[in-house]
Amino acid sequence: MTRPPARPSPPGRFGPAELRLALAAPRPAAGLTSEFRLVDGLRTHTRRSADPGGGAPAMVLVHGLAVSHRYLTPLAVALSPTHPVYVPDLPGFGLTERPGTAYDVPRHAAHLAAWLATYRLDRVCLVGHSFGAEVAAALAARRPDLVRALVLAGPTSDPAARSRRGQLGRWLVDSLREAKFQAPILLRDVWDARLWRVLATLSHSVHNPIEADLVRVTAPTLVLTGSRDPVVPTGWREEAARLLPDGRSAVVPGAAHNVATTAPAQVADAIRTLLAPALRR
């Protein structure tokens, strides 16, 4: 079943103020602070908010390929009034230590499980975007005890374009539809990760059969995309939702692939809607 988010205000707002906030770490900004903890031998950076109280479950946001916590900052800020929010940088990305190899999806999922143990978190709402959705789905399939609810925003990769060439072609199209002030974030993130790691991770992504994980996820799951997302077209969004035992889909009108960056209020509303029945269980 596809339904629009609760408040479909026009997406696309990402200007100089949002850019400064996204690039602020490790300095505190907008209620977000940075922490570094040792996880599986790697100095791992996490951007987090304070706990607003009320017992709401923690939100853990998992970034995509070539990027970091930075572009998920708008969503973290949008969720922070009602939930404690954590945005870890995956190994080799953002401000986390760079290992000598590029991790594949299962290894990233294992590191994320170790990160949750380090922070003593379980039964979280796990929100993965793009390649981060692959990591989130892998963790939810392997460790259902850790995941209360799952959000797959723009999940890669569509079987119709499951190759490096296919994905790069779609990302080039998407770049023409995104807010232009995101470009400095991408440049900074690719510099931090190094181009070889980005390309190696892309190879891991297109060889990851996400369908095998989707069918094993038991948590209630939302598959969310922007209506103008060329990376995750309608057919793949609906197929991914169908494969999930407790899946549903939603669309943010006007948004492209980076829906969590340019439409954070709409995405936050959709996540809270997903969580409402899960919290009553």
Side-chain angles (χ1 to χ4, degrees), residues 175-196:
S175 69
L176 302 176
R177 303 179 183 183
E178 296 286 356
K180 302 311 175 190
F181 274 97
Q182 294 179 85
I185 299 175
L186 179 61
L187 292 173
R188 172 68 182 276
D189 283 339
V190 171
W191 174 262
D192 284 346
R194 306 296 190 257
L195 183 59
W196 70 264

Side-chain angles (χ1 to χ4, degrees), residues 36-265:
F36 293 87
R37 296 192 187 183
L38 201 63
V39 180
D40 268 359
L42 290 179
R43 187 171 183 262
T44 301
H45 171 257
T46 302
R47 199 68 166 159
R48 64 177 295 185
S49 72
D51 189 340
M59 298 279 182
V60 177
L61 314 186
V62 186
H63 65 78
L65 178 71
V67 285
S68 72
H69 73 276
R70 296 182 180 107
Y71 82 115
L72 293 176
T73 299
L75 181 58
V77 172
L79 289 167
S80 63
T82 54
H83 295 266
V85 183
Y86 299 80
V87 196
D89 283 332
L90 295 175
F93 296 93
L95 301 180
T96 287
E97 184 179 346
R98 295 191 291 268
T101 60
Y103 287 13
D104 61 11
V105 171
R107 195 168 181 187
H108 273 304
H111 188 270
L112 188 56
W115 177 90
L116 287 167
T118 299
Y119 275 83
R120 297 184 179 180
L121 294 172
D122 60 13
R123 302 290 292 157
V124 302
C125 178
L126 195 58
V127 182
H129 176 258
S130 198
F131 175 74
E134 297 182 57
V135 176
L139 178 59
R142 291 161 174 77
R143 292 294 306 275
D145 56 305
L146 297 177
V147 181
R148 179 191 300 265
L150 179 65
V151 178
L152 305 176
T156 50
S157 56
D158 179 5
R162 195 166 285 173
S163 67
R164 296 211 315 184
R165 177 179 295 182
Q167 289 300 293
L168 287 170
R170 289 187 177 189
W171 281 330
L172 286 173
V173 173
D174 182 68
S175 69
L176 302 176
R177 303 179 183 183
E178 296 286 356
K180 302 311 175 190
F181 274 97
Q182 294 179 85
I185 299 175
L186 179 61
L187 292 173
R188 172 68 182 276
D189 283 339
V190 171
W191 174 262
D192 284 346
R194 306 296 190 257
L195 183 59
W196 70 264
R197 189 185 311 278
V198 173
L199 294 176
T201 306
L202 175 58
S203 292
H204 288 315
S205 173
V206 299
H207 288 97
N208 176 57
I210 188 175
E211 297 93 333
D213 289 325
L214 296 180
V215 297
R216 296 169 54 202
V217 173
T218 57
T221 304
L222 174 67
V223 182
L224 176 73
T225 66
S227 65
R228 300 177 67 242
D229 184 351
V231 180
V232 183
T234 301
W236 171 233
R237 182 191 67 237
E238 295 303 315
E239 174 66 9
R242 186 190 65 79
L243 289 171
L244 290 154
D246 189 5
R248 66 228 63 185
S249 69
V251 183
V252 176
H257 186 58
N258 289 346
V259 61
T261 308
T262 60

